[in-house]
Each structure stands twice: as structure tokens, then as C-alpha cells.
Amino acid sequence: MPYNQYRKSPIEILNYAVKGLDSNDPKIRFDSARMILENEAVLNYVGDKIRNQGAFVSAAEINLISRTLDVQTRVTIEKIQKPKRPLFFYDLFAANRLIRPTEITNTIRALKIEDWKYGDVQFISDMTDDLPTQAGRSDSITGVRVEPIGNSVRVGLFELRDALRNGEDLIAKGIAQQFESILAFANDMIATGAPLKGMFGLLNNPTLSGHTFGVPPSAVNAPFTEWAQKSQTEIIADLAYIKSKGFSESDQIRHPNQFLVAKAAYDVLTLTQMPNQSGQFVINAWNASQALDTTAEPMTVTPTLVFNGAASNGTSNMGLAGDFSADVLEMFFAAPEVLPTQNHGLHFHVPIVSAISGVNIKRPEYLTKWEGM
């Protein structure tokens, strides 16, 4: 027979619900939490005891509400949607599977990098023992710093009660907002890292210092290098040069398949029409040429506002071309963990922790940094 909470006193409901909070069945845990949080008589009972007895409220009752909030949070957290703010670098790394999971700890991760070189191939005869093997393997140990990060949600008891009466879950909303803040922090770490902690992003990574180049000056408007000052043909030539240079820098192993470029430079591609070809813009001409090139993977061009004026001189636009795959670069990021609700006086505190690294570029020769567009 279903439990009829409407014929029971508040303390009886509390005593009954606490048993369900320890159930292995998630539905029973959720129903027990809701029995406490959505029952006005129970909330008034606890609130009256706090107002009338102050610090003499039973620690067990406060702990009960904290545990109830934990159960409610675990159920609601599954409904949190993707953050609304644009997270260009986080989405880029997530889409290319460049984010590696890690533990929430303060440590240096030692990674062994093994790179097999291409070896010889020869004609052989049956029963031979003299087969060529792969060329020498280079092993290296690199350290990737992983640092803990965190934030929290803080809600007052009476604030929480008022919100629950209106059907609003302040704890879940607060966690959703703080999750978004952590992802935004991860996005910034991928872009610029935390140099004071020895953690770098894509914009300032020292491993790219030997692979940084400038686009050639315009033959029409020398000595300008900006695409806004170049002819359409020169811009197409720059893109082709960026792709071929990336191939040569990789020891002719990989063509760059993506070129991240400053939005200011990208706008020139999308707003400048090719001569004598009404309706076709520079970006259309480039994409068409890539479709006709059967010798290499197409290099797509993607804009980002962060690269505006991000060159080493502090004013010129920047671009980054390369193969954005997991054997080239990575970063470590622990999924945010919601810790148990803590009670401090008349408010509830929900800590959220994670851990993160900067960008680890394992194969810098597969990335080229460009300035001056």
C-alpha cells in the first residue's frame, strides 16, 4: 500500500523518507527526496525549528536535508544542457577528440612518446631471414602539468525554501551555471593557458616558436601583408602557400587539414568577390580549388575572434594551420565532480571540483603558426 504522507506528521515523513535516500533504486531515492523538498509542512517544520531554536537544531535533521539535496542534484544534473555561450576552442578540441580524461589531482603526468620512423621495403625471397625492420624509434618522456580547479554553489536555507515553493531548483540551476563557468575556463586554457603556472595554450605555446611564419607582402601594395590590402589572387596564393609550407614542415608526411584564422582576415575571404566572376567570393574559389586537388586532403578555413590581433607584435592577425588530431596535440580535463552538499549555519554549500592542463603539443612539426593576414 502506498505511503500516505498527508496523514503523517512532518517528523514521521522525515523519518520515513530518510530510509529511501539510501535505496539502491534511483526512483525510490528521487521520490524520497521529493517527499521532503516538495512538502510544505516538512519545510515549515524544519524552518520553524531553526527560527525558534537557532543553533540547537538537530544536526541529524540538517544533515538529512543536505543528503536530500544531493539526491535531488544527482537526478537533475542529467538534464543540464550544453552551455549557451560560444566556446570555440573547447568545441574544437571536443569535436576532434583532443580532450583526454584525467584524475582530479595536483600532479605532473609523465607521458612516454614513441614515434616509429619509416623504414625500408625490399623484394624478398621465400624462407629469408633478412627482412628489413623499421627505422630507429625515438622515445621521449614529457611532463604535462595537471592542476585542480573548482567553484561552488551557495544557497541560503530560507532562499531555498521559497524557491522550492515556486517550483524552482536553485541548487541545480547553480550547478548548471558553474559547470558552464568551468567549461569556459577550459576554453580559455586551450586558447592561452596559464603561463604563470607553466601551462600554455594554442596562442602562446613555446613549442610553436620554431614553426612561426609570416605571409609574404603584397606585390600590388607592398609592403603590406594584410589580406585587406591584397588582391584576390594573392590571397588564394597565400592559402596555397600555407598549406604547402605545412606539408614541408611535417617532413612531407601530412598536409594541414584545417586553418584557424582571425575573424578579421576571414571576413576578407567572405566579402571580397573574385574578379570577373560575379557572385563567387574568395572563400568559394578556395574551396572549389580544394575539391579539385586529389593529391591532398582539403584544408578548411575556420574563423575565430580570438586570433584578431593575436600575433607576436600585438596588432597583426594570427592563424594556425595543421592536422588537429590526437597524436598531434591534446589537453587533460577531468569532468566536473559535484561533491556532497555541506551545511554551514543557515546556508548550503555545494563544492564542484575538476582538474585541467594546458595544451600539450606532441608533434609541433605538424602545426604552423602564421602572422600578418
Side-chain angles (χ1 to χ4, degrees):
M1 182 176 180
Y3 183 79
N4 187 350
Q5 59 175 302
Y6 300 103
R7 295 183 180 179
K8 304 295 181 180
S9 68
I11 189 60
E12 289 176 315
I13 296 173
L14 281 172
N15 290 333
Y16 177 83
V18 72
K19 301 175 183 178
L21 295 178
D22 295 323
S23 172
N24 293 325
D25 188 333
K27 184 178 185 305
I28 294 177
R29 292 201 306 269
F30 175 68
D31 288 342
S32 298
R34 187 173 58 184
M35 186 182 299
I36 297 172
L37 294 175
E38 295 184 356
N39 190 305
E40 186 172 357
V42 173
L43 292 175
N44 284 333
Y45 165 78
V46 177
D48 288 341
K49 291 200 70 175
I50 290 177
R51 282 193 297 269
N52 295 332
Q53 300 182 28
F56 297 100
V57 175
S58 167
E61 290 176 340
I62 289 294
N63 182 57
L64 172 61
I65 294 182
S66 297
R67 293 172 58 205
T68 300
L69 294 174
D70 288 336
V71 173
Q72 180 78 357
T73 297
R74 286 197 295 269
V75 174
T76 310
I77 207 71
E78 299 174 359
K79 302 177 182 178
I80 292 178
Q81 301 298 315
K82 180 182 177 181
K84 298 178 181 178
R85 72 178 77 180
L87 301 174
F88 175 83
F89 290 104
Y90 180 84
D91 291 340
L92 172 71
F93 269 53
N96 289 282
R97 299 181 179 180
L98 306 179
I99 300 177
R100 295 183 58 179
T102 185
E103 302 83 12
I104 300 178
T105 182
N106 185 1
T107 185
I108 299 290
R109 295 185 62 92
L111 305 175
K112 187 174 183 180
I113 306 299
E114 298 181 352
D115 189 15
W116 291 101
K117 304 297 183 183
Y118 289 101
D120 296 328
V121 178
Q122 67 184 30
F123 292 103
I124 60 174
S125 59
D126 193 21
M127 304 292 289
T128 184
D129 290 326
D130 189 23
L131 285 172
T133 186
Q134 75 280 352
R137 180 177 61 174
S138 62
D139 296 346
S140 62
I141 301 294
T142 61
V144 180
R145 180 178 295 277
V146 177
E147 293 279 355
I149 59 175
N151 54 18
S152 64
V153 177
R154 185 175 184 270
V155 179
L157 175 62
F158 302 133
E159 178 186 24
L160 179 65
R161 292 176 60 208
D162 292 340
L164 288 171
R165 288 196 183 96
N166 295 323
E168 184 180 9
D169 191 337
L170 289 182
I171 297 289
K173 282 189 174 182
I175 291 175
Q177 179 181 342
Q178 295 299 64
F179 267 38
E180 183 174 343
S181 297
I182 290 177
L183 294 184
F185 184 89
N187 185 75
D188 293 342
M189 285 292 295
I190 297 173
T192 56
L196 294 179
K197 285 186 169 290
M199 305 161 75
F200 298 92
L202 285 177
L203 275 73
N204 56 1
N205 206 295
T207 59
L208 293 178
S209 60
H211 303 275
T212 300
F213 308 95
V215 294
S218 169
V220 177
N221 293 316
F224 295 107
T225 62
E226 295 84 0
W227 283 351
Q229 303 289 338
K230 290 188 174 184
S231 68
Q232 299 92 323
T233 304
E234 287 178 322
I235 297 173
I236 294 291
D238 279 356
L239 289 170
Y241 175 62
I242 289 168
K243 185 175 181 180
S244 64
K245 185 66 174 177
F247 182 61
S248 63
E249 286 292 305
S250 71
D251 199 19
Q252 297 187 347
I253 294 176
R254 300 188 191 184
H255 283 90
N257 56 24
Q258 193 164 5
F259 180 45
L260 309 180
V261 68
K263 177 68 163 54
Y266 183 82
D267 287 344
V268 178
L269 304 181
T270 59
L271 298 176
T272 305
Q273 289 193 5
M274 295 296 293
N276 304 321
Q277 297 185 35
S278 177
Q280 187 179 42
F281 295 88
V282 174
I283 189 64
N284 303 127
W286 170 254
N287 291 337
S289 71
Q290 292 300 284
L292 296 173
D293 184 3
T294 59
T295 64
E297 185 179 357
M299 185 181 77
T300 60
V301 184
T302 305
T304 172
L305 285 169
V306 183
F307 282 4
N308 283 356
S312 56
N313 63 7
T315 58
S316 299
N317 294 322
M318 173 187 153
L320 186 65
D323 179 6
F324 291 83
S325 56
D327 63 330
V328 176
L329 70 168
E330 66 187 354
M331 63 94 67
F332 292 87
F333 179 52
E337 177 184 345
V338 181
L339 300 183
T341 304
Q342 302 171 7
N343 169 247
H344 300 275
L346 297 185
H347 76 266
F348 295 97
H349 186 229
V350 184
I352 305 171
V353 295
S354 178
I356 199 166
S357 73
V359 175
N360 180 36
I361 300 180
K362 300 183 287 185
R363 301 285 185 267
E365 65 272 19
Y366 293 164
L367 296 172
T368 53
K369 183 178 177 180
W370 294 88
E371 299 182 343
M373 294 77 62

